[in-house]
Amino acid sequence: MWDYTPIVKDHFLNPRNVGDIPDADAVGEVGSLACGDALKLYLKLDDNKEKIVDAKFQTFGCASAIASSSALTEMVKGKTLDEALAVSNQDIAEFLGGLPEEKMHCSVMGQEALEVAIFKYRGLEVPDHDAEHDHGHAYPDYEGTLVCKCFGITDTFLKKVIADNGLTTSEQVTNFTKAGGACGSCIPKIKELIAEVLGQAKEAAAKPKLSNLKKMQLVQEVLERDIRPMLRADGGDLELIDIDGDHVLIAFRKACAGCASSGNTAKFVEMKLRELVYEGLHVQEVSA
Amino acid sequence: MKEIYLDNNATTKVDEAVFEEMKPYFCELYGNPSSMHYFGGQVQSKTTEARKRVADLLGTSPDEIIFTACGTESDNTAIRSALEVLPDRKHIITSRVEHPAVLTQCRNLTSKGYRVTEIGVDGAGRLDMEEYKKAIDDDTAIVSFMWANNETGVIFPVEEAAAIAKKNGALFHTDAVQAVGKIPINMAASKIDMLSLSGHKLHAPKGIGALYVRKGTPFRPLMVGGHQEKSRRAGTENAAAIIALGKACQLAGEFMEAENTTVKAKCNYLEKELLAAIPHARINGGGADRLPNTTSIAFEFVEGEAILLLLSELGICASSGSACTSGSLEPSHVLRAMGVPFTCAHGSIRFSLSRYTTNAEIDAVIKELPPIIARLRQMSPFGREFLK
């Protein structure tokens, strides 16, 4: 028996937002009967056509496919289209408290349907290049060369999933996309794609572009290592309250709190962070 | 919640009488049956009795029974042995719908210089005998066909197939794990050389199996070491489980008529009522001769794992040929070999009954399953299209 989390079970047994929206603004459909799972997602936008005000789904598939669809509709409601596009398959899996790795393709299917719906709404429809193939069409919107003939999956889509999820083995790729899971003849090609994506990842690492997480880590490190010891030497201290984008919110403590020159101290902290972390940072003192 | 257990082709409850029979052989009568002293001797007399009971169920003699650890071991032993005793023959014949215990081993042997032919089945799961007759030749060492299919219950004409093997000088093995205890078997009047059975499919515990090897059949053991089982399977005997298997076979013989009357009637009733209550459902292997306890029903436009989990919420235990249940990505190789359309294969559910199955349990399934299928079809984009 699969080890499903209580959240997966809840969304399977009591799925939210099942059904259709007759006057939907955007509809995304992925999967097929042959594949064993399929999802049709309906989105309704507000009058300004900015925010998603309602989302409904129909799913043919196993418990985790139904739960992933239910989770997806809950997650995108209230989001703008751009915010919704930022929802990744990991976000869906995380919302559900995790999915067994063999079932990660269900979360990918959810993210896919969302993309298809929004792309189509924006007129960015990509042609279904493998229409002649009668089995697959799992992810019809991804152009590229067909890699997995059994499930109709292209190299473009595989590279995206490999990169997004940091996959390193062909078994993982099968768990996430199904590719290679039937006849297995494309597994060597999948291994090549992994090598290609890993190669690109190494290049990217050489010229770092800070992710939010990395930025937060570096800010904390610099505060602990370079700044707080100096303040403490003068009987003062500071506390990191929050990091909001490029805004670092700090509160002064001990001797620094209420000190007439704390404004200068804040400037000093900002200078240090810009020097050691990233130029675009702003430091703001808050009274928390 | 009391379970409604309709997954007896997966495993069965150990019969209380079987458990009672094996119990003393753990803490009290724990001797080694091979020992010279009286203490081992009294265990040996019980394992001898057990061997006789297994032989009786198969209509054969006790020295043709080798105890093993499971059905898979029996299958592996039989095929390996045949290839060793007929070293000049490099061809293996099996079917596309075998259990992995046979199929995986055969496929692995292709990398060791063997040619493997997998015989197909028709839409009802019946073996293609014409294809088999064409495939067999004087290079064929072993033919291995299951007696009855675990997923659909379809019974193969193994006697006829064994006669054809014999004519061609090949050995014939049958994986009878699902057949033994459910349908009458008489090896005395048979051309079958080797037969595998498994204890836990007939109300004995897990971890015990047997291989029947016809007297005079050349044989090479898989396990070597001690002299146990007349050096045909080395390793200290699992005495308590052997004794349990003996008792289970005795009981299976006693219940054979009930299996083919009352159990069969319950299974047929379940099938008939579900087909009547649920549109767009079909029996996999419906046109074929089948085991009395097994029905595999395909429900279109829905997926098997979802059905199983909703049944499971109600305490009803069944199994599925769907892809998602097994962790593989394609529906069962058996249903695909039968050419069951994808619309049905993903939504196939197997119910397998036993002599413990009650009418009330069958009625519960007949009541609970139709709304589950309706609910999932309502949720499925294909189901909704179809319902319009």
Side-chain angles (χ1 to χ4, degrees):
Chain A
M1 199 167 179
W2 295 111
D3 187 15
Y4 286 135
T5 67
I7 309 173
V8 173
K9 281 184 200 155
D10 178 41
H11 276 265
F12 164 58
L13 294 173
N14 310 296
R16 282 56 149 187
N17 312 309
V18 176
D20 53 19
I21 302 175
D23 59 341
D25 292 290
V27 179
E29 210 173 347
V30 291
S32 74
L33 269 174
C35 293
D37 44 23
L39 164 59
K40 195 167 182 180
L41 177 72
Y42 300 82
L43 301 176
K44 178 80 192 149
L45 303 178
D46 63 4
D47 293 341
N48 298 327
K49 302 295 177 194
E50 277 169 8
K51 271 196 177 161
I52 298 169
V53 290
D54 197 11
K56 290 210 184 298
F57 78 92
Q58 290 160 16
T59 290
F60 160 74
C62 60
S64 50
I66 291 170
S68 294
S69 310
S70 168
L72 172 71
T73 51
E74 287 289 278
M75 289 168 80
V76 299
K77 273 198 224 173
K79 283 194 162 63
T80 65
L81 289 180
D82 283 329
E83 286 166 348
L85 271 179
V87 172
S88 67
N89 73 286
Q90 294 102 317
D91 293 335
I92 298 170
E94 214 167 278
F95 180 94
L96 291 166
L99 281 171
E101 188 166 281
E102 293 87 342
K103 297 285 190 179
M104 283 301 285
H105 60 84
C106 297
S107 67
V108 172
M109 182 170 77
Q111 195 269 335
E112 259 306 84
L114 183 62
E115 254 184 40
V116 172
I118 297 176
F119 276 36
K120 274 169 88 176
Y121 171 71
R122 289 180 166 171
L124 296 171
E125 195 174 353
V126 184
D128 181 357
H129 63 95
D130 57 358
E132 75 280 0
H133 197 274
D134 61 359
H135 180 168
H137 317 297
Y139 307 106
D141 66 317
Y142 272 86
E143 267 194 290
T145 314
L146 196 62
V147 175
C148 174
K149 289 179 181 152
C150 301
F151 291 110
I153 303 175
T154 65
D155 58 349
T156 322
F157 176 70
L158 287 173
K159 281 198 266 188
K160 171 186 165 2
V161 176
I162 292 167
D164 286 357
N165 293 282
L167 308 184
T168 55
T169 66
S170 62
E171 289 82 7
Q172 285 179 316
V173 173
T174 304
N175 287 334
F176 277 69
T177 65
K178 293 188 168 194
C183 76
S185 67
C186 63
I187 288 172
K189 180 67 192 164
I190 292 174
K191 287 182 177 162
E192 278 174 32
L193 291 175
I194 294 170
E196 194 184 323
V197 173
L198 285 180
Q200 286 169 358
K202 267 189 205 143
E203 270 174 40
K207 281 186 278 170
K209 191 185 149 209
L210 284 185
S211 67
N212 276 335
L213 189 68
K214 192 72 193 155
K215 198 190 297 166
M216 285 183 199
Q217 278 173 346
L218 284 173
V219 166
Q220 280 172 328
E221 267 178 47
V222 170
L223 287 177
E224 291 305 317
R225 191 185 61 216
D226 300 301
I227 298 173
R228 289 182 68 192
M230 285 174 69
L231 299 183
R232 285 199 198 112
D234 290 335
D237 204 352
L238 65 74
E239 191 183 338
L240 176 64
I241 303 298
D242 202 356
I243 301 173
D244 181 9
D246 289 341
H247 292 268
V248 180
L249 308 184
I250 58 169
F252 286 110
R253 299 282 183 245
K254 296 189 183 164
C256 291
C259 168
S261 60
S262 68
N264 288 336
T265 312
K267 278 277 166 234
F268 163 74
V269 173
E270 189 176 87
M271 200 185 75
K272 264 303 198 199
L273 288 176
R274 284 180 176 183
E275 181 197 328
L276 295 172
V277 183
Y278 153 65
E279 288 179 355
L281 290 177
H282 301 278
V283 170
Q284 204 178 327
E285 190 189 340
V286 293
S287 56
Chain B
M1 182 168 69
K2 178 79 181 109
E3 82 278 3
I4 295 179
Y5 190 77
L6 298 173
D7 200 11
N8 287 281
N9 286 9
T11 196
T12 58
K13 163 197 161 99
V14 174
D15 190 297
E16 310 276 349
V18 168
F19 186 48
E20 285 306 316
E21 189 93 357
M22 76 188 292
K23 248 197 218 161
Y25 295 88
F26 289 100
C27 301
E28 298 152 44
L29 303 171
Y30 53 82
N32 187 327
S34 297
S35 298
M36 277 302 120
H37 43 68
Y38 82 98
F39 193 62
Q42 59 196 11
V43 181
Q44 196 196 18
S45 63
K46 265 314 260 193
T47 56
T48 301
E49 181 194 43
R51 200 182 301 278
K52 170 88 169 59
R53 286 169 164 177
V54 176
D56 284 349
L57 182 67
L58 301 180
T60 180
S61 70
D63 53 0
E64 294 177 305
I65 302 298
I66 302 170
F67 289 116
T68 65
C70 54
T72 298
E73 187 195 324
S74 300
D75 290 337
N76 274 259
T77 304
I79 294 169
R80 295 266 169 180
S81 170
L83 298 178
E84 279 194 44
V85 301
L86 298 170
D88 296 337
R89 293 176 174 238
K90 300 288 181 195
H91 182 217
I92 302 167
I93 295 180
T94 186
S95 83
R96 285 178 64 191
V97 298
E98 293 299 308
H99 189 276
V102 167
L103 210 47
T104 306
Q105 157 148 255
C106 290
R107 287 177 183 173
N108 288 350
L109 284 163
T110 56
S111 66
K112 299 218 157 67
Y114 290 95
R115 205 158 44 92
V116 176
T117 306
E118 295 175 18
I119 305 298
V121 295
D122 69 6
R126 286 174 295 223
L127 195 64
D128 186 338
M129 292 298 278
E130 291 312 308
E131 188 188 353
Y132 167 48
K133 284 176 200 162
K134 275 184 208 142
I136 196 163
D137 56 30
D138 58 8
D139 192 37
T140 308
I142 174 96
V143 178
S144 182
F145 290 139
M146 61 200 335
W147 197 306
N149 187 272
N150 48 312
E151 289 188 31
T152 59
V154 170
I155 296 170
F156 280 174
V158 282
E159 293 295 355
E160 192 190 332
I164 294 167
K166 195 159 199 74
K167 229 187 270 171
N168 286 274
L171 289 169
F172 188 89
H173 164 255
T174 180
D175 174 355
V177 157
Q178 295 294 346
V180 173
K182 292 174 191 153
I183 51 174
I185 284 176
N186 184 8
M187 299 307 287
S190 169
K191 299 247 181 314
I192 294 167
D193 298 299
M194 292 179 277
L195 172 149
S196 300
L197 68 90
S198 168
H200 76 105
K201 308 290 192 194
L202 60 145
H203 305 288
K206 295 152 189 76
I208 184 71
L211 177 65
Y212 157 87
V213 181
R214 173 176 299 284
K215 222 177 278 178
T217 304
F219 181 79
R220 295 277 183 288
L222 187 67
M223 305 272 278
V224 292
H227 59 272
Q228 293 88 353
E229 301 293 310
K230 297 190 176 155
S231 297
R232 293 173 299 179
R233 201 275 188 180
T236 300
E237 299 89 333
N238 185 357
I242 287 171
I243 292 162
L245 177 59
K247 184 68 183 172
C249 284
Q250 184 202 25
L251 291 173
E254 289 169 13
F255 280 102
M256 187 63 73
E257 205 193 317
E259 185 81 27
N260 288 280
T261 51
T262 56
V263 175
K264 188 176 182 172
K266 283 175 190 147
C267 193
N268 289 346
Y269 177 69
L270 175 68
E271 221 168 60
K272 190 178 113 253
E273 292 297 311
L274 289 179
L275 288 183
I278 304 171
H280 285 254
R282 47 176 268 180
I283 307 295
N284 296 316
D289 188 18
R290 284 181 294 145
L291 290 175
N293 79 318
T294 308
T295 180
S296 166
I297 313 182
F299 302 103
E300 283 190 86
F301 315 115
V302 286
E303 199 283 325
E305 188 211 79
I307 305 171
L308 286 188
L309 292 181
L310 289 173
L311 284 172
S312 178
E313 284 295 304
L314 304 165
I316 300 169
C317 311
S319 80
S320 158
S322 95
C324 293
T325 341
S326 57
S328 73
L329 294 165
E330 289 211 301
S332 105
H333 69 288
V334 176
L335 301 182
R336 274 183 294 139
M338 291 165 68
V340 173
F342 277 107
T343 49
C344 300
H346 287 289
S348 286
I349 299 291
R350 176 189 73 188
F351 295 102
S352 45
L353 286 58
S354 80
R355 57 184 184 245
Y356 301 106
T357 305
T358 65
N359 287 327
E361 289 173 330
I362 296 296
D363 286 336
V365 177
I366 293 167
K367 174 170 165 270
E368 303 291 358
L369 187 55
I372 287 176
I373 302 294
R375 173 179 165 180
L376 290 172
R377 280 184 179 163
Q378 193 59 41
M379 208 185 285
S380 155
F382 309 114
R384 290 169 68 96
E385 248 162 55
F386 148 75
L387 290 168
K388 277 176 202 165

